[in-house]
Every structure is written in structure tokens, then in C-alpha cells.
Amino acid sequence: MHVEVLRRFGGLAPRALVGGQFVPGRGGQTQFTVAVATFGLFDADDEPTCPSELWKEPFTVGLPGEFARAVASALDERPGLPAGTLTIDRAGFDLVNSSEMIFGQVAAVLKAAMAARLSGQDADAATRSLVSTW
């Protein structure tokens, strides 16, 4: 599953793309794995891109370390997934319009969507409910 978030604040448009997979496990713990890109945020000009569904410009593929901490923190904050491992293995960022804040928010949306789907609920409704609290 992957999630793209685009917010509007006057002339600003923070956006991010994060995806991953959940593998159920035994026991009572949920573990998180976050794959980080090997380039720095400002070294990404020549990196591959992926399309955006919500914006006219594509994303640069990868999750820079500057944003990975926000993703990991957001995943750790919200309960809701059963025991298992959630691996964040795909991401896209914008050199100008991405930030730690938007990556924390998109990670929270991804986790809410996965939790809803795993419990048999509507993932779209769960994500809309979360986004409406922003």
C-alpha cells in the first residue's frame, strides 16, 4: 500500500509519498522497518523520479535520512496495528515542498489505512477521518 499527501497553505504545498507492506507476526509487538535513501536531500537532483497523482511534478524516488526520523516517530506514536512488521520500502519526496512535518503526517495516514484494512474497515474512511483532524 502507498499513500500520497498534498496539503495547501496559501502558496505552500507540502507533499510526500510513502508506501510499505505489513507482514503479520506472532506475539504482541508491532515492529517497524524504515528504508532510507543513500543520498542527501540536496544531492537528489539527478535521481530517478516517480509520478504524483496529486501534483503536476513528479517525486524524487527515495526517503532521505532527514525525513526518515519523522516517519519512524509517526509510526511509533499511533497504536492500531496488530503484531507483525510494517516495512516502509518506498517513498517519494519533493526537493522544495517536502518536510519532516509532511512525512510524519503521510506515515500516520499510511498506518491508519493499513490498520483499517487489516481490521476489515474502509481504509479511505479511516484516512479521511485522520486528515480531518489536521
Side-chain angles (χ1 to χ4, degrees):
M1 175 183 289
H2 72 273
V3 174
E4 179 179 351
V5 170
L6 169 67
R7 304 217 36 210
R8 301 277 183 172
F9 298 108
L12 301 175
R15 66 191 192 111
L17 174 75
V18 169
Q21 62 180 344
F22 180 79
V23 177
R26 295 181 187 215
Q29 292 187 355
T30 303
Q31 298 179 12
F32 306 103
T33 304
V34 179
V36 178
T38 57
F39 53 83
L41 178 60
F42 299 106
D43 300 330
D45 284 330
D46 295 328
E47 294 297 322
T49 61
C50 64
S52 169
E53 297 293 321
L54 303 176
W55 190 252
K56 59 188 176 260
E57 298 295 324
F59 286 104
T60 300
V61 173
L63 179 62
E66 293 91 335
F67 302 142
R69 286 182 290 279
V71 169
S73 292
L75 295 176
D76 198 35
E77 284 178 12
R78 298 188 178 342
L81 290 176
T85 302
L86 172 56
T87 301
I88 302 298
D89 58 6
R90 58 211 113 146
F93 68 97
D94 184 305
L95 287 170
V96 175
N97 293 311
S98 288
S99 66
E100 289 181 31
M101 178 204 72
I102 197 67
F103 267 94
Q105 290 177 326
V106 75
V109 170
L110 177 67
K111 188 174 176 184
M114 284 187 169
R117 180 159 298 157
L118 288 167
S119 66
Q121 298 174 356
D122 182 6
D124 288 337
T127 58
R128 282 189 188 100
S129 176
L130 175 60
V131 170
S132 73
T133 67
W134 295 346

